[in-house]
Amino acid sequence: MVAPGLAHDVTSRIASELLEDLRARYDSVDWRTELQVDRLVVPSAALTEIFAAARRKLLERGWDLGVVITDLPLKVGGRPVSRQLSPTHGLAVLSLPALGAVHLRQRLRRTLVELIGELTGRGADDEWEDNVLRELVTDKAHRPGRPGVLYVPVLAASHLRLLLGMVRANRPWRLATRLYGALVAALAVGAFGLVSTDIWVLADSMGWWRLAAMCVVSIAATVLAVIGAHGLWERAPDARVRGQVVLFNVTTALTVAIGIATLYLALFLVIFVAAEFVVRPNVFAQRLGHPVGVDDYAGLAWFVASFATIAGGLGAGLESREAVREAAYASTADDEAVLQEARQ
C-alpha cells in the first residue's frame, strides 16, 4: 500500500519486483502481490492510526501480509524511525524519505524483502520461516464438520509456531514498562497496602487457596479490562479472514496476559522485599496476634499484589488507545543502522 504522490519511477514496478524477489527468496509457498494506492489516513497521523487503517484494508482484500509505504516521517517516543512492524497485524510501515535520496529504488526493493522476512521469521532460520509461511497461508476456515466452539483451540494448535512467533515479537514482558500510568497506579496501591495494618489483617485471614483465586481473578479481570477499554479485540468482516482474525485475537490475549502476569510477578517481588525491610517482625506480629514468618510476608505480598495489579489495569485504562496499542503490538526494526545508511 503506497501513499498517493510518491515518486512514480520508484513505485510503478514495486509489486512485480517484490513478487520476483519473494518467489526467489521463499519458494515454499506461491506468492501474489498487489499494489494499492491509498492515503489511508489524514496527515499527520499516529502510527497506530496507520496500522489500524492498513489492517482494515488488509482484511477487506483478503491479504495475509501488508507493507505500507508512506511519505510521512515516522516517530516512536519522539525518536525518528524508518520503519515499524506489527507481526500480530501482519503489517509493516516504511517511511520512504528515511531511505535517503540516492539509489532509492534499490534500497526500497531490498528493504521490502527484509520487512517480509521480519514479519514471518524475525531473523530465524530458513526452515522456521518456510514453516511459518505455510502455516500463515493454510486456510482452515472452511473445513467441514468442525464445531464452532472447537475452532479456536484447533486453529491455535495447528498454527502454534506462528502464534508463538507473533507473541514473542510483541515482547509482552515489556508491556507494563511501556505504560507509565499503569506502573504509577500499581506502585501507589502497593505502597498503600504495605503500610496499612488493616490490609495485614485481611491478608492473614486469607487461606492460600483464596490468595490463589484472587491472583487468577485479578490477572483475568485486568486483561479483559485492558483489551475491552482500548478496543484490542477484532471482528472478522467475512469468513475468508476468520482464521487470521482468530490468530490475531489469541495473540492479543496472550500478549496482554503475559504482560499483566509479568507485572504481577514484579509487584509481588517488590512488595515482598519492601515488606521485609519496612514492616518489622515485632510490629507485624503484634498486629496479627501471632508469631510471623516468611510465609506471612509472602501472603501479604501476594494479597497486595492482586489489588495493585487491578489498579495497574485501571491506570492503563487512562492511557491513550495509541499508547496501549503501540505498547502491545509495535516492534521497531533496527532503525539506527537504516537511518545511518540513508544519511551516507
Side-chain angles (χ1 to χ4, degrees):
M1 290 168 272
V2 302
L6 290 181
H8 180 73
D9 60 333
V10 174
T11 60
S12 58
R13 296 180 54 194
I14 191 172
S16 59
E17 291 176 344
L18 179 59
L19 180 61
E20 296 174 6
D21 294 337
L22 292 177
R23 285 178 172 173
R25 175 65 180 84
Y26 308 103
D27 58 2
S28 61
V29 297
D30 188 29
W31 289 89
R32 177 176 57 87
T33 59
E34 294 181 18
L35 176 65
Q36 179 80 30
V37 179
D38 195 323
R39 174 58 70 182
L40 291 179
V41 295
V42 177
S44 56
L47 266 171
T48 51
E49 295 180 40
I50 299 176
F51 274 118
R55 177 68 176 174
R56 290 192 294 269
K57 185 70 65 174
L58 182 144
L59 293 177
E60 289 173 4
R61 303 301 294 264
W63 297 338
D64 295 301
L65 299 169
V67 180
V68 178
I69 305 174
T70 178
D71 53 357
L72 297 173
L74 305 179
K75 289 188 177 182
V76 175
R79 181 173 63 93
V81 298
S82 65
R83 48 189 177 175
Q84 187 86 341
L85 295 99
S86 178
T88 304
H89 292 86
L91 288 167
V93 179
L94 173 66
S95 175
L96 192 62
L99 295 182
V102 181
H103 306 301
L104 181 57
R105 183 169 177 175
Q106 295 89 326
R107 286 179 174 173
L108 176 60
R109 183 171 182 174
R110 183 176 67 250
T111 302
L112 288 175
V113 178
E114 292 174 357
L115 288 175
I116 297 298
E118 290 168 357
L119 286 176
T120 57
R122 298 289 296 175
D125 56 40
D126 293 343
E127 182 180 356
W128 174 279
E129 289 185 352
D130 288 343
N131 288 331
V132 166
L133 285 170
R134 284 194 291 269
E135 291 171 8
L136 182 66
V137 300
T138 299
D139 183 11
K140 294 178 172 61
H142 303 291
R143 285 188 174 181
R146 183 73 68 191
V149 71
L150 297 178
Y151 178 77
V152 173
V154 168
L155 182 69
S158 63
H159 284 322
L160 182 60
R161 181 187 288 103
L162 177 61
L163 181 63
L164 292 177
M166 293 165 68
V167 172
R168 180 182 176 277
N170 289 336
R171 299 177 183 177
W173 50 90
R174 297 175 55 187
L175 175 65
T177 61
R178 299 176 181 177
L179 299 176
Y180 180 75
L183 280 177
V184 170
L187 292 175
V189 171
F192 172 78
L194 191 61
V195 300
S196 174
T197 57
D198 290 335
I199 297 293
W200 300 356
V201 176
L202 284 174
D204 184 59
S205 66
M206 293 281 183
W208 291 109
W209 69 270
R210 283 191 175 90
L211 290 173
M214 284 187 61
C215 170
V216 173
V217 170
S218 65
I219 292 176
T222 304
V223 169
L224 292 175
V226 171
I227 292 176
H230 297 284
L232 302 183
W233 201 257
E234 189 173 84
R235 297 183 181 276
D238 59 63
R240 292 180 307 157
V241 294
R242 183 185 175 202
Q244 186 178 158
V245 171
V246 167
L247 279 176
F248 173 88
N249 288 332
V250 173
T251 301
T252 296
L254 287 176
T255 297
V256 177
I258 294 173
I260 298 302
T262 303
L263 172 64
Y264 190 102
L265 179 60
L267 288 171
F268 172 83
L269 293 175
V270 169
I271 294 169
F272 178 76
V273 172
E276 289 281 4
F277 279 97
V278 174
V279 182
R280 302 304 300 168
N282 59 330
V283 178
F284 200 15
Q286 182 180 2
R287 187 67 179 90
L288 298 184
H290 62 76
V292 297
V294 175
D295 57 335
D296 295 291
Y297 282 96
L300 175 61
W302 200 351
F303 185 77
V304 174
S306 296
F307 284 101
T309 299
I310 295 176
L314 295 176
L318 300 177
E319 298 275 4
S320 67
R321 177 170 295 190
E322 290 75 18
V324 174
R325 286 178 173 270
E326 187 172 305
Y329 301 128
S331 174
T332 305
D334 187 8
D335 298 297
E336 295 300 332
V338 176
L339 289 172
Q340 182 64 29
E341 179 186 358
R343 295 187 187 105
Q344 292 176 352

